[in-house]
């Protein structure tokens, strides 16, 4: 059963979706709105302060938010990804210290692990190095992209390696550690209300209490199915929104597009069922090829739905006053192809698995 979205949150997202995509005016208010609706506690064990539902509930929330604003869905995904890191961490003191503030939106969670995921796939070097110091680990480097780095307070999940990237570990990086610099927001073409910026680390010292896991090569593959699985909801929700807009544009008139719309709608439902079942029974964790294929198909489904919306709208799609959000959804669909894992990254992984 799909998760029912809070009506007041939906109304707020519909009213501010274009702003969340085009500017930063409501960026800081967004996480608080999501927290007020109780969304961050979804699919978190009751013993950890959550609602105890299955992981598919979080995937449905990602999709439900993406129907109204991909910016909101992506911020939710970022927060939920950091929560997933903590839930899988053996550092229980850190979990008890950080998790309540993350669940209630008092602290923003930023997954700064894109570089680490590429590193593990042999596509990049680690951009953060750590050296032992008397008071802990001394870190230097950069996180080129981090989403949800809210200025009022955030914690970022990062991977740290030796000088040559050896023996990487995963740390939680607090925003107020000395030497952490949050750069200005990236000048994005879309999703500008997501507090997405680069981080610079200059002689940042973290002690062992900030370590999420000592072995990134073991930890990151174990949580990747959660990261990637929840991302699938981004495309499914966006596609549903575009198909709804396409049907509205046709306004009940007979159209050669109707069959294509119905067929894609059925595929969305089938993909959701496969995703939710695989997340809940753990089978997608055991079948990485199936998960990556589903994630890749999510990008194609979103692009196909936006294309159908364009065809249904015709020339109205190019009129600002009559496009009904089409331009935003077209930008959102383009974003899905480049968020880590990118389409190129996914194709490379699938080729290696084959």
């Amino acid at each position: 059963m799909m998760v029912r979205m809070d009506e007041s949150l939906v109304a707020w997202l519909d009213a501010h979706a274009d702003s969340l995509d085009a500017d930063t005016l409501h960026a800081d208010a967004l996480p608080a709105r999501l927290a007020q609706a109780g969304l961050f506690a979804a699919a978190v064990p009751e013993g950890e302060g959550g609602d105890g539902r299955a992981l598919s509930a979080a995937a449905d929330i990602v999709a439900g938010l993406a129907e109204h604003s991909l910016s909101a869905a992506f911020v939710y995904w970022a927060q939920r990804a950091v929560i997933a890191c903590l839930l899988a961490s053996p550092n229980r003191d850190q979990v008890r210290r950080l998790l309540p503030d993350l669940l209630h939106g008092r602290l923003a969670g930023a997954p700064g692990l894109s570089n680490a995921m590429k590193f593990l796939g042999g596509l990049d070097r680690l951009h953060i190095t750590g050296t032992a110091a008397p008071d802990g680990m001394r870190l230097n480097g950069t996180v080129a992209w981090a989403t949800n780095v809210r200025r009022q307070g955030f914690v970022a999940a990062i991977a740290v390696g030796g000088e040559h990237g050896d023996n990487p570990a995963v740390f939680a990086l607090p925003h107020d550690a000395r030497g952490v610099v949050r750069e200005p927001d990236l000048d994005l073409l879309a999703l500008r209300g997501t507090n997405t910026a680069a981080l610079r680390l200059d002689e940042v010292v973290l002690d062992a209490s900030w370590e999420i896991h000592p072995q990134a090569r073991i930890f990151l593959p174990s949580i990747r199915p959660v990261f990637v699985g929840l991302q699938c909801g981004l495309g499914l929700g966006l596609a549903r929104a575009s198909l709804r807009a396409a049907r509205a544009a046709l306004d009940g008139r007979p159209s050669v597009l109707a069959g294509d719309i119905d067929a894609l709608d059925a595929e969305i439902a089938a993909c959701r069922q496969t995703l939710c079942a695989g997340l809940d029974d753990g089978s997608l964790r055991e079948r990485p090829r199936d998960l990556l294929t589903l994630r890749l198909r999510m990008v194609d489904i979103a692009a196909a739905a936006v294309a159908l919306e364009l065809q249904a709208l015709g020339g109205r799609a190019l009129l600002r006053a009559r496009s009904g959000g089409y331009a935003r959804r077209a930008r959102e669909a383009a974003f899905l192809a480049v968020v880590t894992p990118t389409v190129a990254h996914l194709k490379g992984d699938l080729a290696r698995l084959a």
Side-chain angles (χ1 to χ4, degrees):
M1 181 180 295
M2 291 188 185
V3 174
R4 183 178 178 85
M5 301 297 294
D6 180 87
E7 292 183 3
S8 63
L9 173 62
V10 168
W12 187 84
L13 291 175
D14 286 342
H16 298 95
D18 287 342
S19 175
L20 288 169
D21 184 68
D23 58 58
T24 62
L25 184 61
H26 301 287
D28 292 337
L30 176 57
R33 287 279 181 170
L34 300 177
Q36 287 168 10
L39 299 186
F40 296 137
V44 172
E46 291 181 353
E48 302 285 6
D51 63 14
R53 284 184 290 177
L55 188 57
S56 60
D60 270 340
I61 289 172
V62 174
L65 292 170
E67 287 192 54
H68 304 278
S69 163
L70 197 73
S71 295
F74 196 51
V75 166
Y76 174 78
W77 172 84
Q79 185 90 354
R80 193 57 185 75
V82 173
I83 289 170
C85 284
L86 290 182
L87 291 174
S89 172
N91 187 348
R92 302 310 300 170
D93 288 340
Q94 183 187 69
V95 174
R96 286 188 286 270
R97 186 172 77 249
L98 297 179
L99 191 57
D101 285 343
L102 287 166
L103 293 179
H104 292 92
R106 295 187 291 266
L107 184 67
L113 295 168
S114 175
N115 164 238
M117 296 294 190
K118 292 174 182 175
F119 167 76
L120 292 180
L123 301 176
D124 202 355
R125 62 176 180 81
L126 274 182
H127 293 172
I128 301 176
T129 58
T131 56
D135 44 358
M137 184 73 75
R138 194 174 303 275
L139 313 182
N140 287 278
T142 58
V143 178
W145 291 70
T147 291
N148 207 25
V149 284
R150 194 175 51 177
R151 289 177 176 82
Q152 295 93 324
F154 66 85
V155 61
I158 60 171
V160 180
E163 183 179 355
H164 302 291
D166 52 322
N167 300 319
V170 180
F171 278 84
L173 175 71
H175 72 104
D176 54 357
R178 179 175 296 181
V180 175
V181 177
R182 182 205 189 277
E183 301 286 7
D185 284 9
L186 294 173
D187 190 15
L188 301 175
L189 291 175
L191 284 82
R192 295 176 66 90
T194 57
N195 272 314
T196 298
L199 301 175
R200 190 173 74 249
L201 285 67
D202 184 13
E203 298 292 304
V204 176
V205 176
L206 296 181
D207 61 34
S209 70
W210 292 101
E211 187 177 75
I212 293 176
H213 199 280
Q215 295 179 292
R217 295 182 189 275
I218 294 174
F219 181 72
L220 293 181
S222 74
I223 63 169
R224 193 184 188 208
V226 178
F227 277 40
V228 175
L230 295 185
Q231 279 184 353
C232 290
L234 298 171
L236 298 180
L238 174 56
R240 288 202 295 250
S242 276
L243 293 188
R244 185 168 59 245
R247 286 195 173 96
L250 296 178
D251 195 25
R253 297 185 302 272
S255 171
V256 295
L257 299 177
D260 292 337
I261 292 172
D262 290 343
L264 193 57
D265 206 13
E267 184 172 359
I268 292 169
C271 284
R272 177 199 169 267
Q273 184 175 7
T274 300
L275 172 66
C276 291
L279 288 175
D280 291 347
D281 66 17
S283 59
L284 285 178
R285 184 184 298 273
E286 307 302 324
R287 300 197 308 269
R289 182 175 176 80
D290 290 353
L291 175 61
L292 297 182
T293 299
L294 192 62
R295 171 66 171 78
L296 186 61
R297 184 59 187 143
M298 173 269 285
V299 178
D300 292 337
I301 286 174
V306 170
L308 284 171
E309 181 183 358
L310 172 60
Q311 294 170 50
L313 282 167
R316 288 172 291 173
L318 303 182
L319 299 173
R320 289 181 183 272
R322 301 185 64 191
S323 66
Y326 162 75
R328 169 173 54 81
R329 284 186 285 276
R331 292 190 297 271
E332 291 173 343
F335 169 79
L336 294 179
V338 297
V339 62
T340 301
T342 66
V343 165
H345 191 177
L346 289 164
K347 289 180 177 179
D349 283 351
L350 286 169
R352 283 189 289 274
L353 287 171

